[in-house]
Structures are given as structure tokens and as C-alpha cells.
Amino acid sequence: DWAEQDFANGDKAAGKGWLVGPYFASQISEHPLFLDGRLLYGKPDNEFTPDGAATDSFDGERLLAMLNLEGRVEMEQFTMFPNISASYVRDTQDAYTDSSDVDIDSQDIEQTEVALGVDFEKPISSHDLVLVGGLSGIWSETNGDAASSSIIGNHNGWRGRVDAGVNYSNGAGLNAGLNAFVDGLGEDDLKTVGLSLAVNYQF
């Protein structure tokens, strides 16, 4: 991954990193109940450039753990997918000395999330087009030490998320999907929206 941010005071930050680790996916017994998870570890390589000063480089460590449980319930007109998921992510910045000979302490940022939701899909007139959507209630807790505690904000507690979209399949290998989401419902300080278009062809 790669990210870059420009601050209002002229400072700049950039970073790139990687994550690697095992994952699994399984069906529980013969029931339509599916479990998947992953445990990933990696390292970031970051740069920070104060306005008008030299660029400082520093490393760190990162950890990501995820576990998801999803069921499938066939209804007369549509299919529901009740689900529960949990995730934990931690990003650690190593201590370093910047270009002005100032010692910068190490910092940790960690976030825990638990989501309860239900997704659905419904064919439209034919099975070529399928409406998809979902509702989720998400509990999250974000913590940071040292200077990070003053910039990560406070997004602890519950919020809502809505997903909606349409998928297409011609039955001959072509699949496409247009999906959107709104996250942060009920949260005054956090709103996220997204739109994705995916097209793939299997041969």
C-alpha cells in the first residue's frame, strides 16, 4: 500500500508498506454457515517533511487480524446473509531522531471493530441482474498513545453503514458490479462514502 498526505501548515507525510500472513475459509459442517479469517503482519516505511525542513524517515510494525462468520437464508423472493465480524489492527511507529537532532518517541495506534449486519440479494426480472445491499451496526474503539492521541480523533462507540448495488452476470464468464456505501451513520465526526465498479471475465 502507499499513502500521501499534505497538511494545512505545509507539512507532508508519505508511507508505503506491506502485510503478509495466513488466511482460511471454511464451511461449518453441511450447514450454509461460512467462517473465514486472516492474521497478517507487516512493516511500513514512512517519511515526514516539516514545512521548509529536511525529510525524516522512520519505520514501524503493523498487525491485522480479522474473523468473519456468515450464514445464508433462502427466502421466497430474495436471499439474506446474516453476518458478524471482528477485526483488530495495530500500527507502531519506531522511535527515531529527526534531522534537527530531536528524539521522537515511539507511538502506537490500534483499532478494534465488531460489526453485526445482514446483507441481501434479489434477482431483477432475470438472473442476469441482481440487486445487492446490506445494513450494519458497527462498534469500534480507537486508541493512540503519545502525540498520536491528539490527531486520530475520537470515533469510539456505535455507528451505522448502508451498502447498495447491482451485479451482472451473463452466465458465460462475464461478471460486473456497481456498488456504493455510506458509513458513519449516527456519528457526528465521521462520514465515509464509497463507490466501486468491478468487471471480470473468466475463461
Side-chain angles (χ1 to χ4, degrees):
D1 63 84
W2 174 83
E4 185 175 282
Q5 184 174 4
D6 293 329
F7 297 91
N9 63 357
D11 296 347
K12 296 182 178 180
K16 59 182 181 294
W18 53 268
L19 285 166
V20 64
Y23 70 92
F24 73 92
S26 64
Q27 181 175 352
I28 299 177
S29 185
E30 297 181 357
H31 303 287
L33 194 59
F34 305 91
L35 180 68
D36 67 86
R38 64 192 62 201
L39 181 62
L40 306 178
Y41 170 82
K43 285 182 172 293
D45 181 11
N46 303 308
E47 292 183 346
F48 180 70
T49 306
D51 186 25
T55 297
D56 299 317
S57 299
F58 54 92
D59 299 324
E61 294 182 342
R62 50 176 53 169
L63 177 70
L64 172 64
M66 301 179 68
L67 192 64
N68 305 290
L69 180 65
E70 181 177 85
R72 181 185 180 100
V73 181
E74 298 284 352
M75 309 295 287
E76 184 176 351
Q77 299 293 330
F78 57 93
T79 304
M80 295 195 311
F81 303 90
N83 55 79
I84 180 172
S85 63
S87 65
Y88 172 79
V89 60
R90 185 183 73 231
D91 199 309
T92 301
Q93 170 224 298
D94 293 342
Y96 69 98
T97 301
D98 67 12
S99 55
S100 300
D101 275 341
V102 176
D103 293 330
I104 307 299
D105 293 333
S106 63
Q107 301 181 79
D108 284 334
I109 296 177
E110 58 182 14
Q111 182 180 68
T112 303
E113 281 195 352
V114 177
L116 298 169
V118 58
D119 299 330
F120 75 89
E121 62 179 31
K122 174 179 172 55
I124 307 175
S125 66
S126 72
H127 290 283
D128 291 344
L129 289 175
V130 178
L131 278 176
V132 296
L135 298 171
S136 301
I138 303 169
W139 175 86
S140 67
E141 182 178 65
T142 304
N143 296 302
D145 62 8
S148 63
S149 61
S150 64
I151 62 173
I152 61 175
N154 180 15
H155 304 306
N156 299 335
W158 285 93
R159 69 182 193 272
R161 171 174 169 142
V162 176
D163 292 79
V166 60
N167 293 333
Y168 169 78
S169 175
N170 68 353
L174 177 62
N175 300 280
L178 179 63
N179 297 273
F181 74 86
V182 179
D183 196 348
L185 300 177
E187 171 64 65
D188 295 333
D189 300 325
L190 175 66
K191 285 292 186 298
T192 306
V193 297
L195 181 68
S196 65
L197 173 63
V199 179
N200 67 74
Y201 183 76
Q202 298 177 346
F203 57 89

